[in-house]
Amino acid sequence: MQPDVSFVIAAYNAEATIDRAISSAIAQRDVSVEVVVVDDKSRDRTLDLANAWPQDVVRVVALPANRGPGGARNAGLELARGRWVAVLDSDDAVYPGRICAMIARAEKAGAEIAVDNLQVVREDGVAEETMFPVDYLEGLSEISLADYIAGNVVFESRFNLGYLKPIFQRRFLNENGLRYDEDLIIGEDYILLASALAKGGKCVVEPTTGYVYHIRTGSISRVLELHHVEAMRKADIVFARTHSMDAKAEAAFARRTRSLSKAASFLSLVQHIKARSPLKAIWTALSDPAAVRHMGMPIAVRLRRVAAQFAVGAGEVKDAGR
């Protein structure tokens, strides 16, 4: 029988959390579940732990080479057999009633996509507030392409909708050739959902909390670097060429484009400061003053600090020559 949902778990060096993720997927109530674990060439015991589960419960594939999060998820999507597919990060978990509630909400509305709220859990195990206020999600009801792009304006969105963990009708993904962009390490979730919406997918909101998002020190998703932003900008250019957008979506896309440009300038500025390259830092600041606003301080204060760092750096060089 075809499962109601296939959980795709891409795992890389996840020996400490993989069993928790698998257990939570299997524990779903009132739906039939398939779990597909894709080991992305881990160097620890992740693969052994996944293989320890009964094969009729958990299907495991070991990639011959590391493909990154998008590539590993794509490998899992190719194996998935469920009517719906849900991506579960290997260091996260889901509550038992999650999938049943999301499928019911989606099928009642004739939607191909559903999202819900996330419970944020700190590294010490303490649960914080949910990712989004419940009344905010209840007010959305559905998420359009314009809504979603506007909720992914870097450093400026009130609530970052890129953290949403959607479930998709597997048939809809396959019929539209939708897969993760394997060139992205950050932002691959955004591009997939944006593409699905651009293809006409209807996304409904289940305002209850079903996904448990664990904060982890050093997690890729929490460390934004310049090369990540540049990759996101390239992906957005491809998106704009590939998909048509209505006026609201185009306006939101323009804001996102400007935000990525400012983010790139800001991160470049930070790199120059860390590298003790004050002239490059000042030039970057003058070229894009708006980027400096992300520092949360006037440009004059930041430039004075850059100059001070330069003075310290010059002194260190002088001392080293003695």
Side-chain angles (χ1 to χ4, degrees):
M1 292 181 60
Q2 184 181 32
D4 291 317
V5 63
S6 294
F7 276 96
V8 174
I9 304 176
Y12 176 70
N13 292 346
E15 64 180 8
T17 59
I18 187 65
D19 281 338
R20 179 180 67 196
I22 293 173
S23 296
S24 72
I26 293 172
Q28 293 300 293
R29 295 192 299 257
D30 302 320
V31 289
S32 54
V33 174
E34 170 189 61
V35 178
V36 179
V37 175
V38 181
D39 182 72
D40 199 17
K41 198 64 175 179
S42 295
R43 295 172 294 174
D44 62 4
R45 297 178 56 247
T46 298
L47 181 58
D48 293 335
L49 292 172
N51 279 324
W53 288 82
Q55 293 183 3
D56 61 336
V57 176
V58 179
R59 300 169 65 197
V60 181
V61 57
L63 297 182
N66 183 277
R67 288 174 56 179
R73 289 171 182 171
N74 284 342
L77 289 176
E78 293 302 323
L79 294 173
R81 299 173 299 182
R83 291 190 301 113
W84 292 82
V85 290
V87 168
L88 173 60
D89 290 347
S90 59
D91 54 351
D92 291 337
V94 285
Y95 290 133
R98 182 191 191 226
I99 295 300
C100 181
M102 295 180 79
I103 290 179
R105 174 82 60 166
E107 293 185 341
K108 182 179 179 180
E112 295 83 11
I113 312 160
V115 295
D116 62 350
N117 211 341
L118 299 86
Q119 175 64 59
V120 180
V121 178
R122 294 192 331 219
E123 197 163 19
D124 59 6
V126 175
E128 296 185 340
E129 295 182 357
T130 55
M131 183 77 72
F132 306 98
V134 174
D135 57 350
Y136 169 71
L137 290 187
E138 288 178 341
L140 280 179
S141 180
E142 290 184 21
I143 296 178
S144 67
L145 177 59
D147 293 330
Y148 189 60
I149 296 174
N152 282 275
V153 176
V154 181
F155 295 154
E156 296 178 21
S157 299
R158 181 186 176 201
F159 300 112
N160 189 341
L161 298 184
Y163 281 107
L164 291 170
K165 297 292 184 179
I167 65 170
F168 297 93
Q169 269 190 359
R170 186 172 63 87
R171 182 178 63 183
F172 176 78
L173 292 181
N174 290 343
E175 288 178 349
N176 289 282
L178 294 170
R179 289 295 185 267
Y180 286 95
D181 186 334
E182 299 189 20
D183 291 330
L184 291 173
I185 296 178
I186 289 182
E188 74 280 5
D189 295 305
Y190 163 77
I191 285 293
L192 179 63
L193 182 48
S195 298
L197 292 168
K199 289 286 188 178
K202 181 178 181 180
C203 179
V204 293
V205 178
E206 168 55 50
T208 58
T209 303
Y211 193 97
V212 186
Y213 179 83
H214 288 265
I215 296 175
R216 192 162 47 88
T217 302
S219 171
I220 290 175
S221 64
R222 299 186 64 81
V223 181
L224 187 64
E225 297 180 359
L226 180 58
H227 65 94
H228 296 142
V229 174
E230 295 296 354
M232 292 161 67
R233 294 171 76 180
K234 290 180 181 178
D236 272 20
I237 291 172
V238 174
F239 177 86
R241 290 173 179 170
T242 306
H243 303 289
S244 60
M245 294 178 275
D246 61 22
K248 289 184 178 179
E250 285 185 348
F253 186 82
R255 293 197 303 273
R256 174 176 161 84
T257 299
R258 289 194 297 270
S259 77
L260 286 174
S261 177
K262 288 189 289 185
S265 296
F266 165 69
L267 293 170
S268 178
L269 177 61
V270 171
Q271 281 189 1
H272 294 323
I273 292 173
K274 288 181 177 180
R276 297 187 181 277
S277 302
L279 295 180
K280 291 182 179 180
I282 292 171
W283 175 256
T284 300
L286 294 175
S287 299
D288 190 0
V292 183
R293 294 179 193 141
H294 293 312
M295 295 263 186
M297 61 182 69
I299 186 171
V301 175
R302 174 50 59 180
L303 294 181
R304 281 198 296 271
R305 292 189 180 183
V306 170
Q309 287 190 347
F310 176 61
V312 171
E316 289 174 349
V317 172
K318 184 177 180 181
D319 291 339
R322 289 179 180 175

